[in-house]
């Protein structure tokens, strides 16, 4: 069973993503803090990280860049899941190393399709 680390500072979004993933058969680890996610990515060895962009302390873009620069986590696929839906945002996400970019609001089908594509 694949494990997914979900990072979002919105409790409602975090709960929704975790629900969709659990219903699709994934094990889920979650946090509302990007810095916490960095340590969880190293210790829990998830198969995928899904992160919001706009969060206090460290943005999802910074998290993605940090994961991709760290030898222990650089192979880890990252999905950015955000309301930032401009082409420039998507391009910036890809430049940070994101494997997929999902914009909110999303459908369950689009969300799970991105997860399957990234893993």
């Amino acid at each position: 069973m694949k494990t997914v680390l979900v990072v979002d500072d919105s409790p409602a979004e975090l709960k929704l993503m975790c629900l969709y993933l659990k219903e699709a058969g994934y094990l889920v680890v979650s946090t509302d803090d990007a810095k916490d996610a960095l340590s969880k990515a190293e210790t829990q060895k998830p198969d995928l990280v899904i992160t919001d962009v706009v969060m206090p302390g460290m943005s999802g873009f910074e998290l993605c860049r940090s994961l991709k620069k760290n030898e222990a986590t650089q192979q880890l696929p990252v999905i950015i899941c955000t309301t930032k839906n401009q082409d420039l945002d998507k391009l910036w996400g890809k430049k940070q190393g994101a494997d997929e970019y999902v914009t909110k609001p999303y459908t369950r089908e689009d969300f799970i399709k991105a997860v399957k594509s990234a893993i």
Side-chain angles (χ1 to χ4, degrees), residues 48-51 53 61 64 68 76-82 89-90 92-103 110-119:
L48 171 69
V49 174
I50 301 173
T51 182
V53 170
F61 289 144
C64 183
K68 295 298 184 174
L76 189 56
V78 176
I79 295 176
I80 291 180
C81 187
T82 180
D89 298 318
K90 294 174 185 174
W92 187 243
K94 293 288 185 188
K95 286 207 174 280
Q96 305 314 302
D99 298 274
E100 293 285 333
Y101 197 101
V102 176
T103 56
D110 287 343
F111 181 71
I112 296 301
K113 183 177 167 188
V115 169
K116 288 180 178 175
S117 171
I119 292 181

Side-chain angles (χ1 to χ4, degrees), residues 24-106:
Y26 296 94
L27 288 174
V28 180
V29 177
S30 65
T31 182
D32 62 0
D33 181 82
K35 289 178 183 168
D36 183 42
L38 281 174
S39 65
K40 284 187 177 188
E42 281 197 51
T43 59
Q44 311 237 348
K45 307 272 190 255
D47 299 289
L48 171 69
V49 174
I50 301 173
T51 182
D52 186 20
V53 170
V54 182
M55 296 182 289
M58 175 188 274
S59 77
F61 289 144
E62 291 173 290
L63 171 60
C64 183
R65 190 168 53 242
S66 296
L67 290 169
K68 295 298 184 174
K69 283 185 176 177
N70 182 338
E71 203 171 298
T73 57
Q74 66 186 7
Q75 299 302 318
L76 189 56
V78 176
I79 295 176
I80 291 180
C81 187
T82 180
T83 56
K84 296 177 78 59
N85 62 0
Q86 301 298 310
D87 288 341
L88 189 59
D89 298 318
K90 294 174 185 174
L91 178 65
W92 187 243
K94 293 288 185 188
K95 286 207 174 280
Q96 305 314 302
D99 298 274
E100 293 285 333
Y101 197 101
V102 176
T103 56
K104 298 174 187 175
Y106 48 80

